[in-house]
Amino acid sequence: MKLGRLNTPTGPLPVLFEQDVTYDLSPITTDIDRGFHERGGIDIARAAMIAGDLRTVASGLGTSMAAPIARPGKVVCVGLNYRDHAEETGAAIPTEPVVFMKDPSTVVGPYDTILIPRRSRKTDWEVELGVVIGRTARYLDSPADALATVAGYAVSHDVSEREFQLERGGQWDKGKSCETFNPLGPYLVTRDEIPDPQRLGLRLSVNGQQRQNGSTADMIFSVEYVIWYLSQFMVLHPGDLINTGTPAGVALGQADDVYLRTGDVVELEIDGLGTSRQTVSAA
């Protein structure tokens, strides 16, 4: 089952996609947010669809799609989580997950414009598996308990400004939290549709040229380990988003200056989770 949100003149409309049919979820929820997940919204939506209690809506993809979740309470990211990415950037292979936060307001739709920050010279791309929490994760006993807390998965674009992140001192966050720096979607694909999140291909192209082509099988720290690990340091609430890292192929690892420029088009895809596409513009 796939969940999403359509842009409408009155705000995002929560919907369910199943077998090429789009169902209106507004009779059971106002949005796909923390409250939706706390109430067991995925099970409620599935039951309502099976019972025939949901009306269908006409929908088109493209710019009609909002992010598949409402603004999360927090966005937690794991850096350097693919060996080849760490190596291409000259970083040491981490012995524990590298954790940083991203401003939740960076989450935008899968076809929205990416805005290059003012005075930016090094705006970079990163295709990532996004994990949405569906049940509170707090001091989990082991990684084996982690996937049961997942609501679903989505294509996530962790856009980064490398000068702000690495050359301006302090924390990474200021190179990660510029407006529009986390396009998400098009769908939230429920956990039952992705039996093994460590067997997903990830791809990203810029202006039709493939830049990233990796697999979640190459993560240093698996999805379940990341969730377990984070739960030892913070409470993960329903609706929170975790970005789990990116494979090799980012601009930071290239010999030439190939950072994003106004007019560039970035396309992302993850097996089973759909595709997204963003055009780049100036802030």
Side-chain angles (χ1 to χ4, degrees), residues 188-222:
L188 174 62
V189 179
T190 54
R191 185 182 75 236
D192 58 293
E193 293 212 5
I194 307 295
D196 186 356
Q198 303 308 143
R199 299 184 64 181
L200 302 175
L202 309 85
R203 292 164 293 278
L204 180 146
S205 65
V206 180
N207 300 328
Q209 179 178 355
Q210 187 170 87
R211 292 293 187 176
Q212 293 184 275
N213 185 10
S215 170
T216 57
D218 298 325
M219 284 183 179
I220 297 170
F221 304 104
S222 67

Side-chain angles (χ1 to χ4, degrees), residues 135 139-150 224 227-228:
R135 196 175 75 198
Y139 294 115
L140 296 176
D141 289 334
S142 77
D145 301 322
L147 294 187
T149 71
V150 173
E224 65 178 17
I227 296 170
W228 167 81

Side-chain angles (χ1 to χ4, degrees), residues 76-126:
V76 191
C77 305
V78 179
L80 304 174
N81 198 26
Y82 288 72
R83 186 175 299 273
D84 58 357
H85 173 56
E87 290 173 346
E88 75 172 343
T89 61
I93 303 300
T95 57
E96 292 193 45
V98 175
V99 178
F100 62 92
M101 309 294 281
K102 199 173 178 94
D103 182 352
S105 70
T106 60
V107 175
V108 295
Y111 306 101
D112 287 355
T113 299
I114 294 172
L115 297 177
I116 294 181
R118 296 176 184 179
R119 296 174 295 281
S120 167
R121 299 185 300 114
K122 297 181 178 181
T123 296
D124 203 348
W125 57 81
E126 295 186 42

Side-chain angles (χ1 to χ4, degrees), residues 263-275:
D264 285 347
V265 176
V266 187
E267 296 175 284
L268 305 89
E269 180 181 19
I270 298 180
D271 295 345
L273 304 183
T275 61

Side-chain angles (χ1 to χ4, degrees), residues 3 26 34 87 114 126-127 171 175 180 186 216 246 261:
L3 304 178
S26 60
R34 176 174 174 173
E87 290 173 346
I114 294 172
E126 295 186 42
V127 60
Q171 300 297 314
T180 73
T216 57
T246 197
R261 300 287 185 262

Side-chain angles (χ1 to χ4, degrees), residues 48-59:
M49 179 191 66
I50 293 172
D53 295 336
L54 301 177
R55 64 179 179 270
T56 61
V57 295
S59 67

